[in-house]
Amino acid sequence: MTFLFFFSALGAFNGFLLSFYFAINAKKKIFTNYFLSLLLLVLSIRIVKSVFFYFNPHLSSIFIQIGLSACILIGPFLFLYLKSYSDEKPNWKKHIIPYLAIMTALGIFYPYVEHLEIWKLFIVKAIYLQWFIYIVFSFKYIGPIIQKTNKKSSLKKLEVWFLSIYLGVAFICLAYIVAAYTSYIVGALSFTFVLYLIILLLIFRNSNESTFFNEKEKYQNKEIDKATLLLIDQKIVLIIENELFVNPNFNLEEAAKELKITKHLLSQYVNEILGKSFSSLIKEYRVEKAKRLLETEKNYSIESLGYDSGFNSKSTFFTAFKKITGLTPAEYQKSYSK
């Protein structure tokens, strides 16, 4: 029993340490790490509650309520973390503030200690259901990575990291759901197990590749020679001339194949010479295409023009267009018609 307590409690303790680490890392202008930090924080709070309640059933009901309340934020923080790395800007207030208000109201009007049966029969089940629903919603950002594994394509380090975080949280959620049929400590033990797998990923990542927390790559070759620069200058124009970017799945790897240069060299060129990420460059090309279509095509919906420009969803099209032009597609079309 002592070993069981130590192993499960240690996972929660390390979760707090990692949460603090990512919060500090987020200060380096990597805002998405705040969501990761908060995700680990609420997970750790939930696990601490599980550990101490398992070994001390007479634990203060207020502490139990805090642990269960933290659980309602696990799903939203997972969703916000994954979404923050996509083309979509997450609206964290919509996903956090309502749940904070609900749990505060429940704590005031239906405290755990006075309404134990209501919590067990309804509220706790609703919390786990909400957690599961957010895991389903988050799959939108993991699906393309899983498709790459099915096609036996190599995954980027960042993609491996996202997949690990997602599957880890999903596994912990499942462990808590089945805990009613096995043991209450299963969720805490699963968190410890998943956490140490994540720590191993951190330790063994290749230091000369992009880290899990910063998409800008570090390059061993600090300069591209002039002849190579000229060659890439000539070749990269083909992306525009052949409109390769209208393929919604067009990525750095595909571009390197089309231009017959290495992926590493193309990435270095775009990052260091053009001063942007490859995904940002492609979004700019797509927005320029969309602008031309908005100026000339009047019989098609704005959404369809976005798809014709290479965007894979309405939201990514509207977000990218607004960010680059300062106008929504509808506003741009209207201004051009005047």
Side-chain angles (χ1 to χ4, degrees):
M1 291 290 285
T2 302
F3 175 77
L4 189 64
F5 174 80
F6 175 79
F7 186 70
S8 53
L10 187 61
F13 175 73
N14 286 330
F16 283 117
L17 290 181
L18 273 180
S19 174
F20 179 73
Y21 167 77
F22 289 125
I24 297 299
N25 194 270
K27 291 181 180 179
K28 299 175 183 179
K29 298 181 181 180
I30 309 171
F31 183 76
T32 52
N33 280 359
Y34 282 123
F35 295 132
L36 179 59
S37 173
L38 291 169
L39 171 62
L40 286 171
L41 177 64
V42 292
L43 267 170
S44 299
I45 292 173
R46 180 65 182 87
I47 300 306
V48 165
K49 176 260 176 187
S50 298
V51 172
F52 285 96
F53 182 76
Y54 181 80
F55 291 98
N56 180 16
H58 303 292
L59 188 67
S60 170
S61 57
I62 294 178
F63 190 67
I64 294 174
Q65 185 166 318
I66 291 173
L68 290 172
S69 299
C71 196
I72 203 171
L73 296 177
I74 296 173
F77 280 132
L78 171 67
F79 177 78
L80 290 169
Y81 176 61
L82 295 176
K83 185 175 183 178
S84 63
Y85 270 98
S86 71
D87 293 332
E88 303 173 51
K89 184 178 180 181
N91 183 357
W92 67 268
K93 294 179 182 178
K94 181 177 70 174
H95 294 278
I96 300 300
I97 293 178
Y99 296 122
L100 287 175
I102 290 170
M103 296 313 293
T104 301
L106 287 173
I108 295 173
F109 299 107
Y110 292 94
Y112 182 87
V113 64
E114 297 176 12
H115 301 274
L116 187 60
E117 289 302 315
I118 293 178
W119 276 78
K120 286 184 176 180
L121 292 175
F122 302 106
I123 298 177
V124 173
K125 291 180 180 178
I127 289 173
Y128 287 133
L129 177 62
Q130 179 255 19
W131 185 356
F132 177 76
I133 289 172
Y134 267 98
I135 287 175
V136 173
F137 285 163
S138 300
F139 186 79
K140 170 184 177 182
Y141 306 104
I142 298 299
I145 299 176
I146 295 177
Q147 287 179 1
K148 287 184 70 174
T149 62
N150 292 337
K151 295 177 181 177
K152 298 182 179 180
S153 301
S154 59
L155 296 181
K156 299 176 184 177
K157 291 281 186 177
L158 196 61
E159 291 173 331
V160 174
W161 173 255
F162 289 152
L163 191 59
S164 302
I165 293 290
Y166 177 83
L167 293 178
V169 173
F171 181 72
I172 295 167
C173 178
L174 179 63
Y176 271 113
I177 291 174
V178 303
Y181 310 100
T182 54
S183 172
Y184 194 70
I185 200 64
V186 168
L189 292 174
S190 64
F191 174 72
T192 302
F193 175 71
V194 168
L195 187 66
Y196 279 105
L197 287 180
I198 291 173
I199 290 173
L200 284 175
L201 275 175
L202 286 171
I203 293 172
F204 292 109
R205 73 180 189 267
N206 190 342
S207 61
N208 64 4
E209 294 185 17
S210 58
T211 68
F212 294 127
F213 321 110
N214 190 347
E215 65 178 3
K216 186 176 180 179
E217 296 186 13
K218 298 177 182 179
Y219 303 98
Q220 290 179 330
N221 301 322
K222 296 192 176 179
E223 285 190 22
I224 305 175
D225 62 81
K226 292 183 179 180
T228 305
L229 274 177
L230 181 60
L231 179 65
I232 300 176
D233 281 338
Q234 295 170 346
K235 286 190 171 186
I236 203 166
V237 178
L238 295 174
I239 296 178
I240 300 176
E241 291 179 349
N242 298 333
E243 293 194 342
L244 302 176
F245 56 86
V246 298
N247 175 8
N249 298 317
F250 187 68
N251 55 28
L252 180 65
E253 187 173 354
E254 291 293 324
K257 288 179 181 178
E258 289 287 340
L259 303 182
K260 294 180 174 57
I261 56 177
T262 67
K263 185 172 69 171
H264 179 85
L265 190 58
L266 179 58
S267 178
Q268 183 178 0
Y269 174 88
V270 173
N271 276 265
E272 294 184 349
I273 306 303
L274 301 184
K276 60 191 70 175
S277 67
F278 182 81
S279 61
S280 296
L281 178 67
I282 296 305
K283 276 188 282 189
E284 290 177 7
Y285 290 163
R286 287 170 178 164
V287 167
E288 286 302 314
K289 168 78 172 178
K291 286 165 64 177
R292 293 194 298 271
L293 291 175
L294 288 167
E295 293 166 5
T296 57
E297 302 292 340
K298 307 298 182 182
N299 299 323
Y300 296 90
S301 68
I302 290 177
E303 184 177 351
S304 66
L305 296 182
Y307 288 123
D308 290 342
S309 303
F311 291 97
N312 57 11
S313 72
K314 178 181 177 181
S315 58
T316 54
F317 171 43
F318 277 50
T319 302
F321 196 97
K322 174 81 174 183
K323 182 178 180 180
I324 292 173
T325 67
L327 300 171
T328 66
E331 289 171 345
Y332 180 87
Q333 190 176 55
K334 185 177 180 181
S335 66
Y336 187 82
S337 300
K338 290 181 178 179

